[in-house]
Amino acid sequence: MKCWEFKKCGRELNGAKSKELGVCPAYPDDGEECWAIAGTLCGGKVQGTSAEKDGNCRLCEFYKKINEG
Ligand code: SF4
């Protein structure tokens, strides 16, 4: 499962919110490890580097699903 499918963020190509901030850089190849991608668009704002957003990502239900099973 890709993060945009799980989170229903609409920031994938042709997604409902893809016009707002553009298509998320996790799309199309990194939807299973979006926490490693800088500048993703979770929460409707451009996130920082993977180091900067690590704290937020670890709270994310998708991150927990993939990493904690
Ligand atoms: S990283 Fe976040 S904003 Fe980007 S596609 Fe995945 S869930 Fe959506």
Side-chain angles (χ1 to χ4, degrees), residues 3-4 7 9-12 24-27 31 34 40-43 53:
C3 57
W4 54 84
K7 304 268 295 199
C9 61
R11 298 188 190 280
E12 73 275 21
C24 183
Y27 182 91
C34 45
T40 50
L41 304 175
C42 286
K53 64 181 194 168

Side-chain angles (χ1 to χ4, degrees), residues 2-66:
K2 307 292 185 183
C3 57
W4 54 84
E5 296 165 332
F6 181 86
K7 304 268 295 199
K8 298 186 175 31
C9 61
R11 298 188 190 280
E12 73 275 21
L13 186 64
N14 300 324
K17 295 185 178 173
S18 61
K19 296 222 173 6
E20 263 181 36
L21 298 170
V23 174
C24 183
Y27 182 91
D29 302 323
D30 300 301
E32 293 168 355
E33 54 173 6
C34 45
W35 49 87
I37 308 302
T40 50
L41 304 175
C42 286
K45 61 181 177 68
V46 180
Q47 303 288 322
T49 64
S50 55
E52 287 165 341
K53 64 181 194 168
D54 185 59
N56 281 340
C57 293
R58 288 175 183 275
L59 301 172
C60 172
E61 290 308 315
F62 181 70
Y63 180 96
K64 293 176 187 172
K65 176 181 166 45
I66 301 292

